[in-house]
Amino acid sequence: MLEILNDADYELFRKVIYDESGITFSATNRSILDSRIKELLHKKNLTTPGDYYALVRKDPEEMKEMLDSVTTNLTRFFRNQPHFDAFIHYIIPKVVEYKKLHGSDRTIRIWSAGCSTGEEPYTIAMIMKEICPIGFDFKITASDISLKSLMTAQQGFYGDSRVDGIPANYLQKYFTKVDGGYQIKKEVSDTIHFDYHNLKNDSGARNLDVVFCRNVLIYFDEPAQLAVINRFWNSMAAKSYLFIGHSESLFGMKTQFEFLKTDWACLYSKNLDK
């Protein structure tokens, strides 16, 4: 019979996951970690947590697989509609106005960080196909720590139940109905670059106009949250915008972002050009 995580095993896995990704497990979600490790033990035909721990410490690919397994991938199209209303009616007009006033750069750069199975970046891409002004183009990067989720995102196929929430005109225009579900059209998927990325590291991106990182920070403790937020700051343009989850906040955190309240939703801005 497979052994469950004792306190010592739990602490070993909790620490290595935190050190490698910034994701925090506490007493309240210990059962999730316990369940995922037991599944991995069964999959690898290993007997004890110690055997699996030794494996992930010596094999970087096994480490990636474990981090993939312990992350939660809950998402849907047009999740938290007020964020997208603010994006459409306030953020993109502001970005366009700023770019027209400052130089010749006419590319709007957007990052969907923690994109899971792709619903968020595809939502952004469909919106941008609708509203991107003539003379401008856009580039979307979508990243996640879960390779399995990224593979689903890149395939762009979603079952019938997964397309709930997509406006009928978007569904008709940007998807093809196939057996069992819907396939995103190439004209949409071609606007997105999917990439494996651990938010513990610098992405290398610069001059981003908008960053979406929603419902990701809740898995980090405060020091890890601050480190991620500071890396976002460094990757963003002088005047740019950050969306985080509606249950997340930068309140009390020593960050340079400014709180921004629009008619549709609250978010954060970087504003070095006042």
Side-chain angles (χ1 to χ4, degrees):
M1 183 171 178
L2 292 179
E3 187 177 324
I4 62 171
L5 294 179
N6 59 34
D7 288 348
D9 292 328
Y10 167 71
E11 186 58 29
L12 283 173
F13 282 104
R14 186 204 65 76
K15 185 176 186 305
V16 75
I17 290 167
Y18 178 77
D19 289 345
E20 292 292 326
S21 69
I23 296 170
T24 301
F25 280 91
S26 62
T28 56
N29 57 8
R30 175 172 173 167
S31 62
I32 297 174
L33 179 57
D34 187 87
S35 173
R36 301 294 167 81
I37 296 300
K38 284 192 288 186
E39 289 172 5
L40 289 164
L41 283 174
H42 179 71
K43 181 179 179 181
K44 304 294 179 182
N45 291 317
L46 297 173
T47 305
T48 70
D51 293 335
Y52 184 63
Y53 181 79
L55 180 61
V56 299
R57 290 314 306 253
K58 72 178 182 181
D59 187 338
E61 293 305 312
E62 290 292 342
M63 180 70 76
K64 284 185 178 181
E65 183 175 348
M66 180 183 69
L67 294 177
D68 188 329
S69 177
V70 301
T71 53
T72 303
N73 301 300
L74 175 65
T75 186
R76 64 178 183 273
F77 287 98
F78 289 87
R79 186 180 188 185
N80 195 349
Q81 181 65 45
H83 277 176
F84 293 113
D85 291 338
F87 179 75
I88 293 167
H89 299 294
Y90 183 90
I91 302 305
I92 294 304
K94 287 290 186 184
V95 169
V96 168
E97 178 186 26
Y98 183 81
K99 285 180 177 291
K100 285 181 175 178
L101 290 173
H102 296 81
S104 59
D105 181 15
R106 295 296 175 99
T107 299
I108 301 170
R109 298 174 179 84
I110 304 167
W111 182 14
S112 171
C115 71
S116 188
T117 48
E119 285 88 338
E120 179 179 87
Y122 284 133
T123 298
I124 296 167
M126 289 187 288
I127 289 171
M128 289 302 295
K129 294 284 285 184
E130 293 288 315
I131 71 170
C132 191
I134 294 173
F136 283 78
D137 62 2
F138 64 94
K139 293 180 179 179
I140 301 171
T141 299
S143 68
D144 204 272
I145 198 172
S146 169
L147 289 169
K148 182 168 60 178
S149 294
L150 285 171
M151 288 177 65
T152 298
Q154 286 179 314
Q155 289 168 356
F157 170 79
Y158 298 93
D160 292 330
S161 64
R162 298 277 297 278
V163 298
D164 289 344
I166 302 177
N169 59 319
Y170 278 59
L171 190 61
Q172 182 177 13
K173 188 173 183 179
Y174 296 117
F175 287 84
T176 302
K177 183 72 176 81
V178 295
D179 288 345
Y182 291 82
Q183 177 67 47
I184 195 80
K185 290 186 177 179
K186 191 172 184 294
E187 66 181 273
V188 181
S189 59
D190 281 351
T191 67
I192 304 171
H193 171 64
F194 288 100
D195 188 29
Y196 174 85
H197 179 64
N198 185 336
L199 288 174
K200 186 177 175 65
N201 304 317
D202 181 7
S203 69
R206 295 295 181 266
N207 295 316
L208 295 166
D209 298 296
V210 188
V211 173
F212 285 80
C213 184
R214 303 188 300 167
N215 308 300
V216 175
L217 296 177
I218 53 175
Y219 298 106
F220 300 154
D221 65 4
E222 191 168 324
Q225 287 177 353
L226 182 58
V228 170
I229 291 300
N230 286 338
R231 281 190 283 273
F232 285 153
W233 177 273
N234 293 334
S235 72
M236 293 169 69
K239 193 172 184 66
S240 47
Y241 303 89
L242 170 67
F243 287 94
I244 60 177
H246 71 276
S247 63
E248 300 169 323
S249 173
L250 304 187
F251 180 75
M253 200 179 293
K254 292 183 178 179
T255 170
Q256 300 176 80
F257 284 102
E258 298 175 0
F259 180 75
L260 174 62
K261 184 176 182 180
T262 72
D263 290 340
W264 302 270
C266 297
L267 60 145
Y268 293 88
S269 67
K270 176 177 178 178
N271 191 5
L272 295 183
D273 191 9
K274 298 180 181 180

